[in-house]
Amino acid sequence: MVGSVVFKLVLTLVLFTVQVLCVKKPAEILIGRLIHWIHDRLQHHSVARYGYPVELHKVTTQDDYILSLVRIPGKSDKPPVLMVHGLLSSSIDWTVQGPDKSIAFIAADEGYDVWMGNVRGNTFSKEHKTFSSRDKEFWQFSFHEIGLYDLPAMVDYIRSNTSSDTVHYVGHSQGGTVFLVMASMRPDYNRKFASVHLMAPAAYIYHATSPAVDFASRIDELEMFAKLTRSYEIGGRGPGSSVDLVYVGHKTGLVPTSLVLTNIWYLVGVHDSINRTVLGEILANTPAGCSVYQLLHYGQNYLAKSFQMYDYGPVRNIERYGTKIPPEYPLHNVTAPIMLYYSAGDNFVPPEDVEELADQLPNVVHKHLIGLRKWNHIDYLFDVCFIRHQVL
């Protein structure tokens, strides 16, 4: 087994070397290919280490982003399940808790064909047919484009590679946002879902109390800083990454666990639910990066007290939308059967905002309010015992 792995690694490096001898920037391409290879191995290992079968798939969107899908093949005739992560997250967050506690493994144990998406710009989906992730053009997207292009590409790919016409959907936070964008703007996709489970869907967020929303009053400064520094990625991994420094510091003992948890709790609310034995693995992959424009879009919606399209300013809004103010997403088009899960202790997506969302949707078939005052925004991923009984 070890010999086989070594052989494959040597063969891979030889192939890389042969390929880069014929290009102008061999070091750059070699590093890029090695990074993609490492990321693929990370995704594969996050599932295979627990004895589950795993497949990695590449999906190209209508606007040429290349996304990564992780699959745990099903064992029955049940429809496939697509799971889509939240802001600054990735597919690994669905499996990091291991069997019996991770949503992806619970669904796989029930016989479902599990697919985990990685949206554009996160660690595992940083490829494009034309642009490099170092290019400004690569990062010119918000959650709007993810809903408009990424989700449809994933759904179409899953349907064409399985025997099922419909898909179950599970989305956390931004995973709920982008579903609502897709289902409202491309309503033909509603019929392709057997059920839709949205956990803390970040649509209306103007009752949010997390200190993280303080940036909303400074979104102009944030955009200006991004343009001046030509740095459009937030929370990314790799050389020079501040979050990687935190991870290494924690791994070596220089950054104590208590300090890490204190900072997490400051943002999401105190709930000592994270298993200390997996905290290192969580930090190894989360945050997974996003575009600054995703944050700006959420900040705009928070200030506008609305779930609306991206605000480009009055002049560009007229050119794009025909109005000075961006239009709201037409939620009346969302006819798929929606199930909402939300918490009294969520300071990012409070109950009041989810209730307003429910009032706007025409086909909410179930609402589940978690009454625990300490159940916070990330407990859906890292303290998920309720999922076995409530979802799927």
Side-chain angles (χ1 to χ4, degrees):
M1 177 66 178
V2 174
S4 174
V5 172
V6 172
F7 172 75
K8 289 179 181 178
L9 177 59
V10 171
L11 178 61
T12 302
L13 292 176
V14 169
L15 289 173
F16 285 166
T17 303
V18 170
Q19 291 176 16
V20 301
L21 286 175
C22 302
V23 298
K24 295 181 179 180
K25 297 180 180 180
E28 180 180 323
I29 291 183
L30 176 61
I31 292 172
R33 290 184 179 273
L34 279 173
I35 288 173
H36 291 313
W37 182 82
I38 291 170
H39 288 164
D40 285 348
R41 298 311 301 167
L42 279 173
Q43 293 180 92
H44 186 277
H45 178 68
S46 69
V47 176
R49 61 183 294 194
Y50 297 111
Y52 289 79
V54 59
E55 300 172 2
L56 301 181
H57 297 258
K58 296 292 185 180
V59 181
T60 303
T61 68
Q62 185 179 333
D63 57 347
D64 293 337
Y65 284 82
I66 302 171
L67 314 176
S68 175
L69 269 174
V70 183
R71 182 189 190 186
I72 306 176
K75 303 175 183 177
S76 72
D77 294 329
K78 292 183 178 180
V81 180
L82 171 60
M83 299 183 177
V84 177
H85 58 81
L87 186 71
L88 293 169
S89 187
S90 75
S91 61
I92 289 184
D93 284 331
W94 298 116
T95 61
V96 71
Q97 291 278 78
D100 299 324
K101 292 185 178 180
S102 294
I103 301 173
F105 292 136
I106 292 172
D109 290 341
E110 294 293 327
Y112 288 93
D113 185 7
V114 178
W115 297 74
M116 294 169 281
N118 287 287
V119 306
R120 64 183 65 190
N122 88 353
T123 303
F124 307 112
S125 292
K126 297 178 79 169
E127 297 178 79
H128 189 279
K129 282 187 175 181
T130 304
F131 305 123
S132 160
S133 60
R134 294 182 298 277
D135 297 329
K136 176 183 70 174
E137 292 82 1
F138 179 92
W139 298 102
Q140 301 294 303
F141 63 86
S142 76
F143 60 71
H144 179 84
E145 285 74 20
I146 295 172
L148 208 60
Y149 301 119
D150 291 18
L151 254 59
M154 293 178 190
V155 172
D156 290 343
Y157 184 89
I158 293 170
R159 292 176 74 241
S160 65
N161 285 274
T162 63
S163 59
S164 180
D165 288 332
T166 58
V167 178
H168 291 292
Y169 184 85
V170 177
H172 173 243
S173 192
Q174 182 186 251
T177 314
V178 297
F179 177 86
L180 296 170
V181 171
M182 177 192 66
S184 63
M185 299 295 292
R186 303 183 70 171
D188 286 349
Y189 276 86
N190 282 281
R191 61 180 177 81
K192 300 179 182 181
F193 293 92
S195 68
V196 178
H197 306 263
L198 305 183
M199 300 180 290
Y204 299 103
I205 57 171
Y206 60 85
H207 288 98
T209 58
S210 167
V213 301
D214 289 344
F215 85 90
S217 62
R218 308 179 67 178
I219 55 176
D220 291 339
E221 297 174 37
L222 181 61
E223 184 173 18
M224 180 64 70
F225 179 79
K227 289 179 178 179
L228 287 174
T229 61
R230 295 186 60 81
S231 178
Y232 296 90
E233 182 182 16
I234 301 294
R237 314 305 288 250
S241 165
S242 58
V243 292
D244 273 345
L245 288 177
V246 173
Y247 165 65
V248 172
H250 178 263
K251 188 175 181 179
T252 58
L254 295 176
V255 178
T257 295
S258 59
L259 180 59
V260 174
L261 292 176
T262 297
N263 280 275
I264 293 174
W265 292 334
Y266 173 71
L267 294 175
V268 303
V270 179
H271 187 200
D272 194 4
S273 59
I274 296 179
N275 188 334
R276 303 297 195 276
T277 63
V278 298
L279 178 60
E281 291 189 54
I282 294 172
L283 293 177
N285 300 287
T286 306
C290 72
S291 167
V292 66
Y293 294 104
Q294 290 167 260
L295 293 178
L296 292 174
H297 198 169
Y298 278 117
Q300 291 174 358
N301 281 359
Y302 173 78
L303 293 175
K305 297 184 178 181
S306 175
F307 181 42
Q308 64 186 31
M309 300 176 200
Y310 196 89
D311 190 346
Y312 294 92
V315 175
R316 291 182 62 192
N317 284 345
I318 291 176
E319 295 173 355
R320 180 177 288 260
Y321 307 125
T323 59
K324 291 184 178 181
I325 299 175
E328 295 189 21
Y329 287 103
L331 293 176
H332 62 273
N333 287 337
V334 184
T335 56
I338 305 290
M339 304 182 197
L340 300 172
Y341 306 85
Y342 53 113
S343 166
D346 191 336
N347 62 3
F348 276 98
V349 186
E352 301 95 318
D353 291 329
V354 179
E355 291 288 351
E356 178 167 353
L357 172 63
D359 289 341
Q360 302 298 320
L361 295 173
N363 193 17
V364 175
V365 298
H366 178 69
K367 293 190 299 183
H368 180 76
L369 174 64
I370 301 167
L372 300 176
R373 294 300 307 177
K374 288 189 176 182
W375 185 281
N376 63 40
H377 193 66
I378 62 173
D379 280 336
Y380 297 92
L381 298 173
F382 306 130
D383 189 5
V384 294
C385 294
F386 89 107
I387 293 295
R388 181 179 294 278
H389 303 289
Q390 297 295 336
V391 180
L392 306 176

